Amino acid sequence: MADKDSAAISEVDTGEIEPTPLDSEPSYDPRTDTYTTAFDADRTDAGYALVEALAKVRCCDVKDLPPLSDSLDPDALTMLIGEADAPISVDVIIDGFRATIRSDGRIEIEPPN
């Protein structure tokens, strides 16, 4: 009989459960025309979280987005966000959407005008 931890791992490995790097679904603020979500910046790759957030805002699969590397160096983003000693933010335009990712784990996405 498998223990709970190995059962959870096998469910993830088989694709039955899709893990998400985001703490919550992006929420929309009509006053600022901005979507906001968050991720655990200490445990989650910043580039992965950013792409996942943008895919959720666009209601598409991450495979339908242009590669993040077309807009910035994903490894550099992860290093900047994950190893920041002071609060920082990185702004990037991806497929017309302006995204701001912060070292505290917040992600803000503004749709194209």
Side-chain angles (χ1 to χ4, degrees), residues 93-106:
I93 305 293
I94 303 172
D95 203 25
F97 289 74
R98 179 184 181 93
T100 301
I101 186 164
R102 302 179 189 284
S103 57
D104 67 0
R106 285 183 296 150

Side-chain angles (χ1 to χ4, degrees), residues 35-49:
Y35 293 86
T36 305
T37 191
F39 71 104
D40 185 340
D42 294 325
R43 297 179 12 176
T44 304
D45 179 272
Y48 179 45

Side-chain angles (χ1 to χ4, degrees), residues 6 10 13 45-46 57 70 75 103 111:
S6 64
S10 70
D13 291 344
D45 179 272
V57 166
D70 286 356
D75 294 331
S103 57

Side-chain angles (χ1 to χ4, degrees), residues 18 50-68 70-71 94-97:
E18 288 191 30
L50 179 58
V51 169
E52 185 71 24
L54 184 58
K56 290 199 178 288
V57 166
R58 295 201 51 213
C59 299
C60 70
D61 192 274
V62 294
K63 293 179 245 167
D64 297 329
L65 298 173
L68 186 59
D70 286 356
S71 302
I94 303 172
D95 203 25
F97 289 74

Side-chain angles (χ1 to χ4, degrees), residues 1-89:
M1 182 172 166
D3 61 32
K4 286 183 186 178
D5 291 336
S6 64
I9 290 170
S10 70
E11 286 178 0
V12 170
D13 291 344
T14 61
E16 293 177 25
I17 297 174
E18 288 191 30
T20 179
L22 304 178
D23 293 343
S24 62
E25 293 292 314
S27 60
Y28 179 69
D29 183 346
R31 295 171 305 187
T32 61
D33 192 29
T34 303
Y35 293 86
T36 305
T37 191
F39 71 104
D40 185 340
D42 294 325
R43 297 179 12 176
T44 304
D45 179 272
Y48 179 45
L50 179 58
V51 169
E52 185 71 24
L54 184 58
K56 290 199 178 288
V57 166
R58 295 201 51 213
C59 299
C60 70
D61 192 274
V62 294
K63 293 179 245 167
D64 297 329
L65 298 173
L68 186 59
S69 59
D70 286 356
S71 302
L72 60 89
D73 180 337
D75 294 331
L77 175 66
T78 296
M79 187 179 77
L80 282 170
I81 297 298
E83 298 178 11
D85 291 332
I88 66 163
S89 64

